[in-house]
Amino acid sequence: MNSWNLILKRANNKDFKPFIKFNKSSEEWEKLLPKEVFDVTRLGLTESAYSSKMCNLFTPGYYICSNCESLLFTSAKKFQSNTGWPSFSTPFKEESLNFFNDNSLGLERIEVRCATCDAHLGHVFNDGPAPSNLRFCINALALKKIEEIYETILGGGCFWCTEAIFRNVKGVLDVESGYSGGLLENPDYKSVSLEQTNHAEVIKITFNPQIISFSEIINLHLATHDPTTLNSQGNDTGKRYRSIIF
């Protein structure tokens, strides 16, 4: 995860314009969310300290955004901070969060927002446990806890196109593009494009099996590309565009 200095750099980047993948108007969110969740996540309010049992909840599981259900944190990185809010030392992955300067209340703080839907989550401080030394102080109303997640890796043409298909599927928590099935340990776009590695362009899908099943994921994958064309999809040709399931 980013060091404190890198978080400060991201928060101070005045040219940063977040790309919100799950973009809704305030009016739309207000219709979808319970009032207390809307007040915290869309209006930036803070829930009362010790108002949630989640503060003392340390059973295994995963924490997703209460607005868009993107995967944000895991129980393995949750710790007892005795501050009155759920606290984590690192997120699921650094791309899950965006950071912004917050000078409200006469204090200099770093606000944490969901990178997928721009929901206000809480704040991050540099007084957490080693090795990150970070404390992500998150409103419980901004989170939902789920017990398990599944992952699968699929290829079916250009990974950006495939990623776009699964990004907004209910129950899909995270989609990440990459390469798999080849010989090189750390392939890059150039080497894969030159057909030097035997890798396929793939996406790794993390999903909630209580909402969407593996078979439903596979059925959608097969319905949104042509698995019968050898090493090609549409105008894209080459082994990297082959249909594959890991």
Side-chain angles (χ1 to χ4, degrees):
M1 174 52 199
N2 289 324
S3 69
W4 178 246
N5 287 337
L6 287 177
I7 287 177
L8 291 178
K9 184 177 180 179
R10 288 179 61 184
N12 288 319
N13 183 2
K14 296 181 180 179
D15 295 325
F16 174 69
K17 295 181 180 180
F19 173 67
I20 306 304
K21 305 180 183 71
F22 205 97
N23 206 358
K24 294 182 181 294
S25 67
S26 179
E27 291 76 16
E28 288 176 307
W29 282 119
E30 191 169 14
K31 292 178 181 179
L32 289 171
L33 302 172
K35 184 180 185 307
E36 63 273 18
V37 175
F38 177 82
D39 288 347
V40 166
T41 59
R42 310 320 304 188
L43 300 182
L45 303 185
T46 300
E47 67 193 17
S48 300
Y50 299 102
S51 60
S52 172
K53 295 180 180 179
M54 193 180 286
C55 294
N56 297 313
L57 184 64
F58 294 96
T59 53
Y62 304 86
Y63 293 86
I64 62 178
C65 175
S66 64
N67 287 204
C68 68
E69 298 190 344
S70 293
L71 185 54
L72 300 176
F73 300 96
T74 72
S75 60
K77 300 300 181 180
K78 192 171 187 287
F79 68 96
Q80 181 59 269
S81 64
N82 295 311
T83 59
W85 293 275
S87 298
F88 303 85
S89 59
T90 56
F92 171 67
K93 63 180 185 180
E94 58 184 85
E95 296 87 355
S96 304
L97 307 175
N98 287 329
F99 306 102
F100 301 89
N101 281 321
D102 179 4
N103 297 314
S104 63
L105 306 178
L107 302 172
E108 293 185 2
R109 297 179 295 173
I110 303 298
E111 180 190 8
V112 181
R113 296 186 203 168
C114 172
T116 301
C117 72
D118 206 37
H120 169 75
L121 304 175
H123 295 84
V124 59
F125 303 92
N126 62 340
D127 57 5
S132 73
N133 298 316
L134 299 174
R135 173 171 59 92
F136 290 86
C137 185
I138 307 298
N139 290 286
L141 288 169
L143 302 173
K144 293 179 183 177
K145 184 174 183 294
I146 59 176
E147 301 303 319
E148 61 180 351
I149 61 173
Y150 288 178
E151 292 181 341
T152 187
I153 296 176
L154 309 174
C158 170
F159 48 27
W160 290 312
C161 299
T162 313
E163 178 180 336
I165 291 170
F166 283 93
R167 178 64 66 180
N168 293 323
V169 173
K170 188 172 179 59
V172 171
L173 307 174
D174 187 68
V175 186
E176 182 178 359
S177 293
Y179 307 102
S180 192
L183 305 174
L184 192 65
E185 185 174 351
N186 295 303
D188 56 29
Y189 184 79
K190 182 177 180 180
S191 60
V192 174
S193 298
L194 293 174
E195 302 285 340
Q196 296 175 343
T197 70
N198 202 42
H199 280 86
E201 292 195 8
V202 299
I203 57 170
K204 181 170 72 172
I205 301 172
T206 305
F207 62 99
N208 181 353
Q210 299 300 315
I211 296 178
I212 187 169
S213 67
F214 177 68
S215 62
E216 288 174 315
I217 293 282
I218 297 302
N219 286 338
L220 178 58
H221 178 55
L222 295 176
T224 52
H225 81 292
D226 186 353
T228 67
T229 56
L230 181 63
N231 298 329
S232 67
Q233 285 298 311
N235 294 325
D236 294 328
T237 59
K239 285 187 176 181
R240 67 186 184 276
Y241 298 120
R242 64 190 183 271
S243 178
I244 195 165
I245 300 172
F246 291 94

